[in-house]
Amino acid sequence: MNNRTRVSQVMTCDDHDFIEIACLYNYSIKITTRSADNYQGRALDTQYNQQRQQCICIVCDEQPILIELDTIAEIHVLTPNPHFNYLRV
């Protein structure tokens, strides 16, 4: 971990900003949900699913996957970058 590690208790506006940065630069990320499911892929965008829940869309094995933001426990950024490498919600 470096000094740009982000750890928080709830999904804040700053947390959303870091997710948007991951999508903007298409970082490779690993997401762990609160139910201990793991997803690894390239961050694409945030969007709403059919239930109108805000999600992050990642591409995993060439398939887009929507992960509800309120289910995310942590995100590890696998792409080296100057912005952040870890987010705990």
Side-chain angles (χ1 to χ4, degrees):
M1 285 187 211
N2 64 29
N3 62 350
R4 295 180 191 259
T5 297
R6 178 86 176 120
V7 177
S8 66
Q9 294 291 338
V10 296
M11 182 76 68
T12 65
C13 288
D14 287 345
D15 295 337
H16 282 273
D17 289 345
F18 283 110
I19 290 170
E20 291 288 341
I21 287 170
C23 294
L24 176 68
Y25 293 106
N26 295 130
Y27 290 156
S28 292
I29 59 175
K30 178 183 174 189
I31 295 176
T32 303
T33 64
R34 291 192 176 112
S35 61
D37 294 324
N38 289 297
Y39 301 91
Q40 187 169 323
R42 186 172 43 88
L44 288 183
D45 201 358
T46 57
Q47 63 189 69
Y48 290 94
N49 63 14
Q50 291 181 333
Q51 294 77 32
R52 302 292 301 151
Q53 298 163 312
Q54 193 172 19
C55 300
I56 184 171
C57 180
I58 67 170
V59 173
C60 181
D61 296 327
E62 299 184 24
Q63 296 294 319
I65 297 172
L66 292 179
I67 303 165
E68 297 167 21
L69 294 184
D70 63 357
T71 66
I72 296 173
E74 57 188 30
I75 298 174
H76 292 270
V77 181
L78 307 175
T79 304
N81 72 87
H83 304 290
F84 76 114
N85 64 356
Y86 180 73
L87 176 69
R88 183 184 305 163
V89 181

